[in-house]
Amino acid sequence: MNANFIMSHDVTTIIGLEVHVQLKTKTKLFCGCSAEFGASPNTQVCPVCLGLPGALPVMNEQAIELAICAGLAINCSIPELTKWDRKQYFYPDLPKGYQISQFDLPICADGYLEITDPANPDATRHIGIIRAHLEEDAGKSMHDEVAGKSDTRIDLNRCGTPLLEIVSQPDLRSSAEVKEYLTQLKLILTHLGISDCEMQEGSLRVDANVNLHINVDGKKVATPIVEVKNMNSFRAVERAIEFEVERQAIDWQADGLTINDKPKTTRGWDDSKERTFIQREKEESADYRYFPDPDLLPVRIPREQVEEIRKSMRELPNVTCDRLQSQHGLKQYDANVIVNQGPQLVAYFERVADVSGDAKRSSSWVQQDVMRTLKERDMVIDEFPVTSVQLGELLKLVSDAKLDNARARDVFNYLLDKESTVEEAIKSLGIEQVDSSEIDTLCQELLDANPNVVDDVRGGKVQAVGSLIGQAKKKNPNANPQQVRETLLRLIGE
Amino acid sequence: MLDSASELIKLQESGDITAAQIVQKAISNIESSDETINAFTHVDAERALDIAKKIDTRRAAGQPLGPLAGVPIAVKDNLCSADMPTTCSSRMLENFRPPYDATVVTKLREADAIIIGKTNLDEFAMGASTETSYFGTTRNPWDTTRTPGGSSGGSAAAVAAGYVPMSLGSDTGGSIRQPAAFCGITGLKPTYGRVSRYGLIAFASSLDQVGPMAWSAADVALLLQATAGFEPRDSTSLNQSVPNYSEILTTSDLRGIKIGVLGESSLSGQLDPAIRKAVDDASEVFRSCGAEMVEINLPHSEYWVPTYYVIAPCEASSNLSRYEGAHYGHRTDSIDRTSEHGPLVSAYCRSRDEGFGAEVKRRIMVGTYGLSEGYADKFYNQALKVRRLIKNDFDAAYSQCDLMLGPVTPTSAFLIGEKTDDPIQMYLCDLFTVGANLAGLPAISLPAGLDDNGLPVGIQLQAPALEESRLLFAAGAFQSTTHHHQQRPRPIA
Ligand SMILES: [Zn+2]
């Protein structure tokens, strides 16, 4: 019935996202501790990130650079002056009793992202970005419920790691658009090396503000805003928003409450039950008592620094995608697949294509053999045993018809496990590259010995050469079947 | 014997005394009267003696020694020290031992000074009498019925009582200069950022500054030399080279120096006649040294105290929010698990309620209010604007003079208990000192004689940013012309 309601009414879904990404800095935002994920609890801490009395923060320049880089990538303006503010609240995973964040002068403001319109792949949607600001992360509370006794353990390793909070305008209109926005954002941020954006590891976190605008007799009625939290995958974000849209429609039909009747509520997403549940009923208007952190100086960002970062920035993924099409002649689909694997794979592919001189063959090998092996072996391209130059050389031999695909795959597999040059690998595998004059001689001998095949082919039965290819392979195992076939047909035609 | 660090250094160099003998004397002085004075929250006699012996051995072996070798020193107990408790004189940190040294403590160790112990203060440096200490008040060595001032009352009393020749204090609104004046010693608040705040437990971060206390300007210069300088771990520390402060203490010739004296204002109305006389007398001394005395005005001086008592509590309310008993410090053992706010909030509330004293709570509440939504514009943000005006006043004044002369306090040391029931009266102790903190400028308090009760009276010199040398230059001239800094209290019975 709710689905009917949404279909039968003029209902617009309004979604704004707050996305937290953890910046890939070597150290935390205000101290020298490692910001690496996964260390055992409370091993990556110091007086500063523990908030011990007397310890003082010192700003991490790399975080500023990454934030500027991110801001430029999402079309934000970077102000000349930004500053640090304290946001105060009590929680055991926040040892100072305040979080160092940015209040009224964020490092990035007023940007946007163009995303593909999921409803019309030829169109784009313009999603406004209000601001992106830097802040330190809190620690992690882990609640154990053992034998009816609840117990909370606190890991402060994450405390003080740098986050960039990217706040969108409420411009998103469906879960599909949200997914597209997040995919785009993640692609850009991973591509530029700004963040790993791993939702599972918490380096990308999404809060969604959702409500409905319902057209009632020509008047727009807005339902109360709900902030949805605790979603740990893109899929969960989509599902949570879909659930909320239905739930709010049902609620509105039942109680008719609007945004004016009810303050914003916070709901969590329960992945196993596939539903949102109430977390905070009445958002007691939290007073964070923001004020400028007196331990840190305001940050001046010289225009030259912004320009320098802009210049040294890696190409944005959509630009790379266009370039792979124009420069290497790839189809959009293939270009997308490669770009989505990240800049390292793009660089790998481009080198293979340059060395082999055959971009299409390179694209297909990279997408199939290389990507499959990466997945099987759970490794990244930088650790891949077959270098881009090796693969390029190998594919050049195939293109030059000096090696067939099957043989090339043997060489590729050999190189995966043994350190060797392509040439050595070919030799070790007993493959001899065959000279074309040799093939010519071999083929002429076979044709001379099998005049019936010549007649069949001339009579239109081209597939008759198949039997000779098999014989050629027996006489010379290194003969490339494709080349043998072509040679046979050429000689018959002469 | 324990009057002068410079003397002690010379006597050790000439072989007339050893560091061990010096420390032994300091310890025996402390043992004989600190039960009465209560200058220390913690004394580590054994370790001090141990360090002294090592210095003596190194000296005997002809090894190089730091500039403060063998000088016993007391450190205010809001400066972190890894080998001693650091309590801020609060129940909250009664058993707290930081895992690291404050930068100034490290510098003292590197200078081969011997840290005898940690000195008492008003809880978290909030007070002007050392009476808010969880460990009991410190008494003034000149009259034990009176306070030594505060918040660095323990550091001032430790020098005045003859336990150590020098000590470190911290000054947020006058906390070095006022107790120095009450105890008849010299105390300097450096330019904000001159001395690293790393390891100084924050009261109000934008006002706090560590500084030296001793009998003479010469010793103050020595200690400032050892502790000043840029430190990358403190973002507000100034990246400026440190001049040689002792070099400029050799003359009483102040010709060419213009000293500003505040004209009649609402501030001067609050002044005790003995203090007014001390300032007038000092003015004559400077004139006799060749200085030109000019009248200057600081139009916003009546806003100093109100501005200070908004900004300082606001910052304090934030700085002190880390003390909630979850990670370190006092934790209640009576959590109310049935509390309507839940056990966690109950644990916070009770730990803080038990751990903090009344004055600290008062300031946390004032500061929380001053930063709250709807009030921040009226209080905190407004105070920041006034602070800017106050800074401008000082800039304008220093275009007309090189230094400023005035009182440190409205009165000499008051009786213990006299002002404890009236916080406003207590806050007015800072009337003349908070301007330098708000403007981030250096100022020094100098002994300037005794009043009718035989209590020390101080005068204050102030200077533009980073002009500590100018302050010490004029202070040196004053002390080579007068003998006020050589007056001592009677031995404590
Ligand atoms: Zn750290």
Side-chain angles (χ1 to χ4, degrees), chain A residues 31 33 46 49:
Chain A
C31 65
C33 292
C46 73
C49 54

Side-chain angles (χ1 to χ4, degrees), chain B residues 417-438:
Chain B
E418 193 181 322
K419 298 188 181 193
T420 41
D421 294 334
D422 190 348
I424 300 296
Q425 277 309 306
M426 196 68 95
Y427 296 171
L428 288 175
C429 292
D430 300 333
L431 203 57
F432 300 102
T433 45
V434 290
N437 301 84
L438 290 166

Side-chain angles (χ1 to χ4, degrees), chain A residues 361-479:
Chain A
R361 193 182 301 279
S362 303
S363 157
S364 112
W365 271 74
V366 166
Q367 286 186 60
Q368 289 161 28
D369 303 80
V370 176
M371 277 169 59
R372 190 186 51 238
T373 315
L374 287 176
K375 206 171 169 195
E376 281 167 7
R377 301 197 173 186
D378 190 25
M379 53 169 48
V380 295
I381 191 69
D382 291 342
E383 311 162 335
F384 199 62
V386 184
T387 68
S388 51
V389 172
Q390 284 178 324
L391 184 56
E393 284 169 2
L394 183 61
L395 297 187
K396 186 168 181 0
L397 293 176
V398 179
S399 296
D400 291 350
K402 292 188 176 155
L403 216 59
D404 62 35
N405 249 320
R407 286 296 167 122
R409 197 151 280 125
D410 292 342
V411 176
F412 180 78
N413 287 333
Y414 182 90
L415 290 172
L416 277 178
D417 296 318
K418 289 201 181 68
E419 243 180 75
S420 152
T421 65
V422 173
E423 211 174 306
E424 283 165 10
I426 289 172
K427 212 175 273 169
S428 305
L429 289 169
I431 304 169
E432 276 170 40
Q433 291 176 46
V434 188
D435 204 73
S436 57
S437 63
E438 233 175 280
I439 298 287
D440 275 13
T441 314
L442 174 66
C443 287
Q444 195 58 60
E445 279 169 23
L446 287 168
L447 289 175
D448 291 347
N450 298 281
N452 53 326
V453 172
V454 178
D455 291 343
D456 285 352
V457 172
R458 288 198 173 132
K461 284 173 75 184
V462 180
Q463 67 269 32
V465 291
S467 63
L468 297 189
I469 295 173
Q471 288 187 42
K473 201 86 180 132
K474 262 182 211 153
K475 294 203 166 180
N476 184 346
N478 292 317

